[in-house]
Amino acid sequence: QQKVQQSPESLTVSEGAMASLNCTFSDGTSNNFRWYRQHSAKGLEVLVSIFSDGEKEEGRFTAHLNRANLHVSLHIREPQPSDSAVYLCAVSMMNYNQGKLIFGQGTKLSIKP
Amino acid sequence: EAAVTQSPRNKVAVTGGKVTLSCNQTNNHNNMYWYRQDTGHGLRLIHYSYGAGSTEKGDIPDGYKASRPSQENFSLILELATPSQTSVYFCASGEGRAEVFFGKGTRLTVV
């Protein structure tokens, strides 16, 4: 069974500094990876989806995937207080059913003004 | 814009009672999913569906049934609700390599 672990559990970063979140997974045949943001008591907002090794940028959000190291990260450039939320890493192994996701436990990010 | 709508948004149920959570999507996606979210576990897949009439077990199906009567609608059914099923439930829809869209969640409390 695929295991997805996120670190750190919580992170506080000053406004404008780079925020970096990590996610490790156990199955190297996984083929798609997503980062979601969840504001308190709200739904999930997809930030970046990445399907091959390397980097994928969506605005201020950049994902880095290294399948050999079983690692995917999310970097948030110039974070703002409105970016304070829980960030969830999700991994899928199925090309035809990519909603079958295994989630990490989340990283709670706080941005200090 | 892609939309997944869940109802109710909040529900209090009694132990042993029947609970039905409903989900509607206007994305014309074949695949729909039910997840639950608990502190320390992230989101976990309960049931999913490939289309009308189909339901499949996810990773934690025990105590839950699902029903997909049409392309648009997917329900999660708790025949005999227990306090351990107190959680936040999310419905989602997706298709192939396209994005997966989530509803806003249903907070269920079983007392």
Side-chain angles (χ1 to χ4, degrees), chain A residues 36-46 86 88, chain B residues 6 9 37 90 102-105:
Chain A
Y36 290 90
R37 178 170 67 184
Q38 184 178 32
H39 285 107
S40 182
K42 299 269 179 74
L44 279 69
E45 172 192 7
V46 62
V86 174
L88 295 163
Chain B
Q6 295 181 228
R9 293 292 315 280
Q37 184 177 30
F90 287 95
F102 284 81
K104 294 185 177 180

Coordinates of all heavy atoms in Angstrom, one line a residue, chain A residues 36-46 86 88, chain B residues 6 9 37 90 102-105:
Chain A
Y36 N -2.5 20.3 -2.9 CA -3.7 21.0 -2.7 C -3.6 22.0 -1.5 O -2.8 21.7 -0.6 CB -4.9 20.1 -2.3 CG -5.4 19.2 -3.5 CD1 -4.8 18.0 -3.7 CD2 -6.4 19.7 -4.3 CE1 -5.3 17.2 -4.8 CE2 -6.9 18.9 -5.3 CZ -6.3 17.7 -5.6 OH -6.8 16.9 -6.6
R37 N -4.3 23.1 -1.5 CA -4.4 24.0 -0.3 C -5.8 23.9 0.2 O -6.8 23.9 -0.5 CB -4.1 25.4 -0.8 CG -4.1 26.4 0.3 CD -3.6 27.8 -0.2 NE -4.4 28.4 -1.2 CZ -4.0 29.5 -1.8 NH1 -2.9 30.1 -1.4 NH2 -4.8 30.0 -2.7
Q38 N -5.9 23.9 1.6 CA -7.2 23.8 2.2 C -7.2 24.9 3.3 O -6.5 24.7 4.4 CB -7.4 22.4 2.8 CG -8.7 22.2 3.5 CD -8.9 20.8 4.0 OE1 -8.0 20.2 4.5 NE2 -10.2 20.4 4.0
H39 N -8.0 25.9 3.1 CA -8.2 26.9 4.2 C -9.2 26.3 5.2 O -10.0 25.4 4.8 CB -8.8 28.2 3.6 CG -7.7 29.0 2.9 ND1 -7.6 29.1 1.5 CD2 -6.7 29.7 3.3 CE1 -6.6 29.9 1.2 NE2 -6.0 30.3 2.3
S40 N -9.1 26.8 6.4 CA -9.9 26.2 7.5 C -11.3 26.0 7.1 O -12.0 26.9 6.7 CB -9.7 27.2 8.7 OG -10.4 26.6 9.8
A41 N -11.8 24.8 7.4 CA -13.2 24.4 7.1 C -13.7 24.7 5.7 O -14.9 25.0 5.5 CB -14.1 25.2 8.1
K42 N -12.8 24.6 4.8 CA -13.1 24.8 3.4 C -12.7 23.6 2.5 O -12.1 22.7 3.0 CB -12.4 26.1 2.8 CG -12.7 27.4 3.5 CD -13.9 28.1 2.9 CE -14.2 29.4 3.6 NZ -13.3 30.4 3.4
G43 N -13.1 23.7 1.3 CA -12.7 22.6 0.4 C -11.3 22.6 -0.1 O -10.5 23.4 0.4
L44 N -10.9 21.8 -1.0 CA -9.5 21.7 -1.5 C -9.4 22.4 -2.8 O -10.2 22.3 -3.7 CB -9.2 20.2 -1.7 CG -8.8 19.4 -0.5 CD1 -9.9 19.2 0.4 CD2 -8.2 18.1 -0.9
E45 N -8.3 23.2 -2.9 CA -8.0 24.0 -4.1 C -6.7 23.4 -4.6 O -5.7 23.4 -4.0 CB -7.8 25.4 -3.7 CG -7.3 26.3 -4.8 CD -6.8 27.7 -4.2 OE1 -6.8 27.9 -3.0 OE2 -6.5 28.6 -5.0
V46 N -6.7 22.9 -5.9 CA -5.5 22.4 -6.5 C -4.5 23.5 -6.8 O -5.0 24.5 -7.4 CB -5.8 21.5 -7.7 CG1 -6.5 22.3 -8.8 CG2 -4.6 20.8 -8.2
V86 N -3.7 24.7 5.4 CA -3.1 23.3 5.4 C -2.8 22.9 3.9 O -3.7 23.1 3.0 CB -4.0 22.3 6.0 CG1 -3.5 20.9 5.9 CG2 -4.2 22.7 7.5
L88 N -1.8 19.9 1.3 CA -1.9 18.5 1.2 C -1.2 18.0 -0.1 O -1.4 18.5 -1.2 CB -3.4 18.0 1.2 CG -4.2 18.3 2.4 CD1 -5.7 18.2 2.2 CD2 -3.8 17.3 3.5
Chain B
Q6 N -22.1 19.4 -2.6 CA -22.4 18.4 -1.6 C -23.6 18.9 -0.7 O -23.7 20.1 -0.4 CB -21.2 18.1 -0.7 CG -20.1 17.4 -1.4 CD -18.9 17.1 -0.4 OE1 -17.8 17.5 -0.7 NE2 -19.2 16.5 0.7
R9 N -24.4 20.3 4.2 CA -23.0 20.7 4.5 C -22.7 20.4 6.0 O -21.6 20.2 6.3 CB -22.9 22.2 4.4 CG -23.0 22.7 2.9 CD -21.8 22.3 2.1 NE -20.5 22.4 2.7 CZ -19.9 23.6 2.8 NH1 -20.4 24.7 2.2 NH2 -18.7 23.7 3.4
Q37 N -12.0 12.9 5.9 CA -10.8 13.6 6.4 C -10.9 13.6 7.9 O -11.8 14.1 8.5 CB -10.7 15.0 5.9 CG -9.4 15.7 6.3 CD -9.3 17.1 5.7 OE1 -10.3 17.8 5.4 NE2 -8.0 17.5 5.5
F90 N -15.7 14.4 1.9 CA -15.5 15.1 0.6 C -15.9 14.2 -0.5 O -15.5 13.1 -0.6 CB -14.1 15.6 0.5 CG -13.7 16.7 1.4 CD1 -13.1 16.5 2.6 CD2 -14.0 18.0 1.0 CE1 -12.8 17.5 3.4 CE2 -13.7 19.1 1.9 CZ -13.0 18.8 3.1
F102 N -13.0 18.9 -6.1 CA -13.6 18.5 -4.8 C -14.7 19.4 -4.4 O -14.7 20.6 -4.7 CB -12.5 18.5 -3.7 CG -11.6 17.4 -3.7 CD1 -10.5 17.4 -4.6 CD2 -11.8 16.3 -2.9 CE1 -9.6 16.3 -4.6 CE2 -10.9 15.2 -2.9 CZ -9.8 15.2 -3.8
G103 N -15.7 18.9 -3.7 CA -16.8 19.7 -3.1 C -16.2 20.3 -1.9 O -15.1 20.1 -1.5
K104 N -17.1 21.1 -1.2 CA -16.7 21.9 0.0 C -16.7 21.1 1.3 O -16.4 21.5 2.3 CB -17.5 23.1 0.1 CG -17.3 24.1 -1.0 CD -18.1 25.4 -0.8 CE -17.7 26.4 -2.0 NZ -18.5 27.6 -1.8
G105 N -17.3 19.8 1.2 CA -17.3 19.0 2.4 C -18.6 19.0 3.1 O -19.3 19.9 3.1

